[in-house]
């Protein structure tokens, strides 16, 4: 009879333990995704500063989450606005050893203010995380 009582208690506690494990896994995934976004943004800024000698960084922005609004996935978004005397094609050419410019997930644009904006969006390590919903 004692083993039946223990089995019943274990059966009742098991779902709670599984829910706690799932929540901890989601929190872990969120932390890893945010670290990946921060690293992507820092690397992008470092690559820009190494390749463009006259660069002046105006602003740095990063975001982790569903940035496109389509589907349930997590993206790592990095956007840097900067100024330089180089032209758009020259910027893409010197940064092409680090990134593939496809016009959607990675591109360089000239803003209305005369600055350049580089945009990088990649899939997060935990792309199915709750952050993307």
């Amino acid at each position: 009879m004692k083993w039946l009582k223990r089995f019943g208690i274990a059966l009742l506690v098991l779902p709670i333990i599984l829910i706690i494990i799932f929540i901890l896994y989601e929190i872990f995934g969120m932390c890893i995704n945010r670290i990946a976004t921060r690293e992507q943004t820092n690397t992008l800024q470092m690559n820009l500063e190494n390749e463009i000698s006259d660069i002046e960084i105006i602003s740095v922005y990063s975001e982790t989450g569903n940035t496109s609004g389509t589907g349930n996935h997590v993206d790592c978004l990095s956007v840097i606005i900067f100024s330089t005397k180089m032209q758009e094609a020259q910027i893409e050419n010197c940064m092409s050893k680090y990134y593939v410019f496809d016009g959607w997930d990675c591109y360089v644009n000239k803003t209305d203010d005369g600055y350049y904006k580089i945009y990088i969006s990649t899939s997060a390590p935990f792309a199915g995380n709750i952050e993307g919903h």
Side-chain angles (χ1 to χ4, degrees):
M1 189 70 163
K2 221 177 199 184
W3 66 270
L4 189 59
K5 188 176 179 181
R6 287 183 185 165
F7 180 75
I9 291 172
L11 201 58
L12 291 174
V13 173
L14 184 63
I16 295 169
I17 292 172
L18 292 175
I19 290 170
I20 290 171
I21 290 171
F22 177 75
I23 290 170
L24 291 175
Y25 175 77
E26 290 294 322
I27 291 171
F28 174 77
M30 288 172 64
C31 293
I32 297 298
N33 287 345
R34 290 170 189 236
I35 290 169
T37 301
R38 186 174 57 240
E39 286 298 313
Q40 174 180 293
T41 304
N42 290 342
T43 302
L44 175 60
Q45 184 172 354
M46 184 182 65
N47 290 341
L48 282 169
E49 290 171 343
N50 288 340
E51 295 297 323
I52 302 173
S53 60
D54 66 337
I55 192 168
E56 181 184 339
I57 304 289
I58 306 301
S59 71
V60 177
Y61 174 77
S62 63
E63 181 180 339
T64 305
N66 188 345
T67 59
S68 67
T70 58
N72 294 331
H73 63 279
V74 182
D75 298 317
C76 299
L77 172 66
S78 303
V79 179
I80 297 181
I81 298 175
F82 60 97
S83 66
T84 182
K85 292 181 178 148
M86 295 175 78
Q87 297 300 314
E88 193 173 314
Q90 293 172 309
I91 295 168
E92 284 186 9
N93 187 37
C94 71
M95 296 300 289
S96 65
K97 60 182 159 185
Y98 305 109
Y99 307 103
V100 176
F101 291 92
D102 60 6
W104 182 257
D105 289 326
C106 181
Y107 61 84
V108 175
N109 273 354
K110 193 161 191 171
T111 65
D112 294 337
D113 300 336
Y115 300 121
Y116 290 101
K117 172 177 80 171
I118 188 164
Y119 176 100
I120 307 284
S121 179
T122 60
S123 182
F126 287 83
N129 190 269
I130 192 74
E131 253 179 331
H133 298 273

